[in-house]
């Protein structure tokens, strides 16, 4: 049975291994950094320019969690909102390679690195996406692997093909 909410979206069968999704760009301002940090990550190097300049980061830097949140938003805007996503399963291998500084522009790619059917739920596929996020200088800022459930359009047909 087709889901009326996702019938016009891409399903598991439509996705391709190696498919690359461009993400961004998004420039982060001082106000963006301070607003996020005030609510979610209130360390001095995210809140105060003087303290940030004296820190290991050398200037006002976005929280790594803000970098992750911005990256996920870009993925939703550029890809997840067009597929029959059933929700996230989690992430692995998160690495913050360098800070995203005030005035930096974040962009990158998300590449489909794995597609597999769920063993226990024939109506679900599991999509793994590798993020490669960079600043405007092309320097790697963050990497991450994200697993997401994706609806299978015709579960019975795929089960028959596998036999």
């Amino acid at each position: 049975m087709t889901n009326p909410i996702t019938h016009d979206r891409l399903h598991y069968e439509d996705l391709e291994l190696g498919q690359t999704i461009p993400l961004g760009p998004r420039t982060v301002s001082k106000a963006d950094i301070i607003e996020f940090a005030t609510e979610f990550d209130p360390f001095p190097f995210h809140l105060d320019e003087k303290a940030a300049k004296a820190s290991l980061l050398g200037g006002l830097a976005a929280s790594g969690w803000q970098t992750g949140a911005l990256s996920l938003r870009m993925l939703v805007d550029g890809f997840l909102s067009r597929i029959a996503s059933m929700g996230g399963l989690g992430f692995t291998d998160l690495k913050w390679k360098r800070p995203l500084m005030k005035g930096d522009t974040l962009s990158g790619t998300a590449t489909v690195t794995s597609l597999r059917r769920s063993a226990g739920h024939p109506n679900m596929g599991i999509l793994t996406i590798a993020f490669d996020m960079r600043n405007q200088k092309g320097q790697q800022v963050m990497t991450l692997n994200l697993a997401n459930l994706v609806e299978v359009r015709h579960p019975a047909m795929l089960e028959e093909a596998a036999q």
Side-chain angles (χ1 to χ4, degrees):
M1 177 187 335
T2 304
N3 182 336
I5 296 169
T6 61
H7 74 280
D8 61 345
R9 295 184 181 189
L10 297 173
H11 284 67
Y12 176 82
E13 300 93 323
D14 304 313
L15 303 175
E16 295 179 26
L17 196 61
Q19 180 178 356
T20 300
I21 302 98
L23 304 176
R26 169 74 190 267
T27 301
V28 293
S29 68
K30 175 181 176 178
D32 293 333
I33 292 170
I34 292 172
E35 181 180 356
F36 185 92
T38 298
E39 187 164 357
F40 300 109
D41 198 355
F43 283 99
F45 42 81
H46 299 316
L47 294 169
D48 178 84
E49 285 195 273
K50 186 175 180 182
K53 193 155 190 81
S55 76
L56 175 67
L57 302 176
L60 192 66
S63 164
W65 296 113
Q66 183 175 15
T67 302
L70 290 169
S71 300
L72 181 59
R73 178 57 196 247
M74 292 176 196
L75 184 67
V76 169
D77 290 347
F79 182 66
L80 288 181
S81 62
R82 297 189 333 259
I83 70 170
S85 175
M86 301 174 83
L89 291 173
F91 62 88
T92 61
D93 302 316
L94 169 63
K95 297 206 179 357
W96 292 308
K97 301 288 192 155
R98 69 178 57 249
L100 185 65
M101 306 302 287
K102 173 186 79 172
D104 278 356
T105 299
L106 181 67
S107 62
T109 58
T111 302
V112 176
T113 57
S114 174
L115 288 166
R116 65 180 178 86
R117 290 292 299 277
S118 168
H121 302 279
N123 63 322
M124 298 177 191
I126 300 170
L127 160 72
T128 304
I129 299 170
F131 281 81
D132 177 12
M133 302 306 295
R134 296 176 179 263
N135 64 20
Q136 71 282 359
K137 297 173 187 172
Q139 298 167 319
Q140 198 170 54
V141 173
M142 185 191 82
T143 59
L144 161 76
N145 294 315
L146 177 73
N148 198 273
L149 289 172
V150 180
E151 187 176 337
V152 171
R153 184 178 288 113
H154 302 291
M157 289 176 63
L158 288 174
E159 284 178 13
E160 290 171 11
Q163 295 176 0

